């Protein structure tokens, strides 16, 4: 794949602004005048860019954030025209089974990205701004003053974007119930939600810089293939301890035999920083991914 | 279904006292003189009432509580005659496979109730008083002074009532081990158990009122079908992120197309409180429940 | 099985020192001069002893610990010769599928031990010292000053020893990500890891005594078969609430009908300490284990 020109994409993707700084790709939401509500354009942009970042060896980490002066990080779906924004016309014609939730499509794109993913939540967040825009990321940084809302059951709908699967795994189902079944609005320091965050920062303007410094440190000191395989093991650990043992045995054998694995050991013995050079495009094994990717895209019912 | 007369049932169901106040049904345990120990009568009453509440559209929330002056919320099974209280004679005759734990039957009844379920634990709790009487509920409120005990392994038996399935999911298996494998007695503020509780209250007499106010607020501001479907997604999320995406896509399409979903969006735009009118008896989809209900009732071995 | 003479084994197993004190077997790591790094000999010793302890009715609890004056509890794998320490020559010859991670083999041996298992982490821990040497144990005690490191992704490899399966279950995947995907070094009081520990102690020299007193109390006051069956239910709870109900119904019927179950109830009524005498070798049911043990041992490819 030719190296994508993220800067050039800013000319035609208006809902997000991309910038690549060394190994860190930042996706800044660019709908501040609409409280960064989730529009069809924004979802499409995000999914497209996550897919590029996944395949671009230069990118080690992806940060999604907003302007820290925006009224919100993401205030949920843009429902100025009702919930119809949520579905596509073609699916509508084919009946209820054809619908694919846009938030869920973004969630799956974030989960599929083999790079470090970070949500830098430097403003209020509600609805899909709490679900797809946070839960599938590897790490979440948040402003202490953010109002965090899961209002689904107070709007006549249900929690979406794979949140009923992800949130209980992330923080346990006791806390997940306290958030999803109440439609609560909470602060990041609430015991219901604090375990969701890697870091909680007092000032809005410090959230993105903290996330970026964290991303750069990880990019500089971790191995690209290690991160991808570790994410794979965490997302697809197998159904039992024994199955996980077979999977991580295979993964560790592959990586310990790689250039990066060898240099990781050697650097430890020499008390120096390792020089990791392996990339996913050149040095991944055909064994990876070991799980069956499930294609959930809607297909026309005739097919 | 004709609207049940809960008040009338109090004449013949002596082990619990029922009261319906608007959308909130309270089940008060009525065996204070026996420390509210779990009797066959109490289990049967509870299962029967939970089934009625599940089907009665008027009921939005069910609270189980005790008199705050009782010696305990629930001190476990009534074993004055040994463990035999735990099983039925007919099962005894048919051999070991015929046994169905009474606590587990209550747990499954609580899990099956599509309304908001709350345990208002305003006194000490032990054994099944910690398991079936708390773990399957959506929310738990507790008195800070309550002694909470899981004494199973100190009594020669094992944790029951689906607790080895539910507790690790609720608070993680590290904390679940610290409770279930030690037979510990802890306070609600112990780090081993605090995440189990939605709210911990300093005074016994304040536990039920806090739970009731919470129930009424949820009843007034959430949609009946939303709560039922959200509970369904949390209990039956599918085996993968992709499967959950297909399920919540379907659920959100159904609800966003419903009266309550439409009014939820409209009310948000008009900055008013929504008017939710959909009910489970009239407005649920044949798609729900999407999971296969597993019938675990004992059947006579000849069948 | 003849009662093993643990003391006698110390003559030929040099990497660990065994001592049986009443019902508590202590396994002291004996490679302080190598920072207690994980050697092939140590793994083999540990697996062998865990298997003996599992079958020896006298042993109720197993503690793994280090000298509190050692430079570390366990500093990870001994990679003085590179990662090759991780695999066996015969597996190497047969190709990648033949590899079985030594840390994972220890993890499975700890999980299979039906007795109470405790890691008394009285020093720094890294790599496999954090995974196999801690995660599969029922309880972890730790020195507050310990440096705890999961450096895998910073060494070009991946988290091993079933850690990507166990850690998210133990403390939730939000915290597990913060540890495993960063390669972090943290203190036991860090919010990322504190839930992993049953007890955090200020002084190194107090960790093992606290763990031992805890083990002795449990050994004196819990039933052997209860602990084994409760561990079985926690590790193999079934795939649904209903399946767990069928399993715990069976387990509680068996144990409530046993000598220990009967005495547990009787002692409660008589307000005395129970006299538990049932043992796994004499009083376990053929129903246990109810799960299919998966054999993950490598076999020569010709077989």
């Amino acid at each position: 794949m030719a190296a994508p020109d993220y800067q050039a994409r800013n000319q035609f993707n208006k809902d997000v602004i991309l910038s690549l700084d060394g190994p860190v790709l930042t996706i800044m939401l660019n709908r501040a005048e609409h409280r960064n509500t989730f529009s069809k354009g924004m979802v499409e942009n995000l999914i497209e860019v996550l897919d590029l970042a996944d395949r671009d060896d230069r990118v080690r980490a992806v940060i999604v954030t907003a302007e820290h002066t925006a009224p919100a990080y993401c205030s949920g779906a843009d429902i100025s025209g009702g919930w119809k924004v949520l579905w596509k016309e073609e699916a509508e014609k084919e009946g209820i089974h054809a619908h694919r939730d846009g938030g869920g499509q973004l969630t799956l794109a974030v989960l599929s990205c083999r790079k470090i993913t970070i949500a830098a939540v430097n403003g209020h967040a509600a609805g899909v701004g709490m679900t797809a825009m946070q839960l599938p990321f590897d790490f979440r940084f948040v402003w202490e003053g953010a109002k965090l809302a899961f209002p689904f059951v107070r709007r006549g709908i249900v929690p979406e974007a794979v949140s009923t699967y992800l949130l209980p795994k992330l923080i346990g189902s006791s806390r997940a119930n306290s958030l999803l079944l109440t439609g609560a609005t909470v602060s990041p320091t609430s015991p219901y939600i604090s375990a969701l965050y890697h870091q909680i920062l007092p000032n809005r303007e410090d959230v993105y810089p903290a996330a970026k410094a964290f991303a750069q440190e990880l990019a500089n000191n971790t191995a690209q293939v290690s991160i991808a395989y570790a994410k794979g093991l965490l997302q697809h650990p197998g159904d039992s301890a024994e199955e996980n043992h077979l999977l991580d045995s295979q993964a560790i054998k592959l990586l310990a035999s790689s250039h990066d694995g060898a240099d990781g050991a050697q650097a430890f013995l020499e008390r120096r920083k390792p020089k990791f050079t392996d990339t996913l495009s050149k040095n991944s094994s055909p064994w990876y991914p070991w799980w069956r990717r499930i294609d959930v895209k809607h297909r026309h019912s005739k097919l």
Side-chain angles (χ1 to χ4, degrees), chain A residues 275-296:
Chain A
K275 290 174 203 124
F276 295 135
T277 55
D278 287 345
T279 61
L280 284 166
S281 67
K282 293 205 188 75
N283 307 98
S284 185
S285 156
W287 174 72
Y288 173 98
W290 57 84
W291 61 94
R292 192 174 137 258
R293 290 187 188 275
I294 302 170
D295 184 351
V296 293

Side-chain angles (χ1 to χ4, degrees), chain A residues 187-250:
Chain A
S187 150
T189 54
S190 159
Y192 299 145
I193 204 168
S194 62
L196 193 60
Y197 292 101
H198 186 74
Q199 205 176 337
I200 302 174
L201 293 118
N203 299 309
R204 282 190 76 173
E205 61 271 28
D206 298 336
V207 175
Y208 171 66
K212 189 158 179 200
F214 173 81
Q216 278 172 323
E217 197 282 330
L218 287 185
N220 291 339
N221 294 295
T222 65
Q224 179 167 153
V225 181
S226 289
I227 289 286
Y229 281 44
K231 288 182 57 148
L233 285 165
L234 285 160
Q235 288 180 22
H236 301 276
D239 287 339
S240 64
E242 288 83 357
E243 192 178 337
N244 187 257
H245 169 55
L246 296 178
L247 294 172
D248 73 20
S249 291
Q250 183 90 329

Side-chain angles (χ1 to χ4, degrees), chain A residues 38 46-47 50 62 64 73 102-119 121 127-140 150 160-167 169-170 196 231 234-235:
Chain A
F38 200 72
L46 284 165
I47 291 175
L50 283 159
V62 181
V64 172
Y73 167 70
Q105 292 180 310
L106 175 55
T107 289
L108 296 181
V110 179
L111 291 174
S112 296
C113 181
R114 295 167 297 171
K115 311 305 175 65
I116 297 155
T117 57
I118 304 172
V121 184
V128 73
M130 283 307 304
T131 56
M133 298 292 277
Q134 295 195 38
L135 304 185
F137 289 77
D138 297 322
F139 305 100
R140 286 155 293 280
F150 293 92
E160 35 61 281
V162 193
S163 58
T164 51
Y165 179 84
L166 293 173
L167 193 59
K169 286 185 182 288
L170 285 161
L196 193 60
K231 288 182 57 148
L234 285 160
Q235 288 180 22

Side-chain angles (χ1 to χ4, degrees), chain A residues 28 53 82 89 101 119 123 218 259 261 279:
Chain A
M28 171 92 72
E89 271 176 41
D101 166 55
L218 287 185
H259 167 273
T279 61

Side-chain angles (χ1 to χ4, degrees), chain A residues 19-26 58-63 212 215-216 219:
Chain A
S19 55
L20 182 68
D21 181 9
V24 181
L25 178 68
T26 298
R58 297 173 306 169
V59 177
R60 294 294 318 284
V62 181
I63 303 176
K212 189 158 179 200
Q216 278 172 323

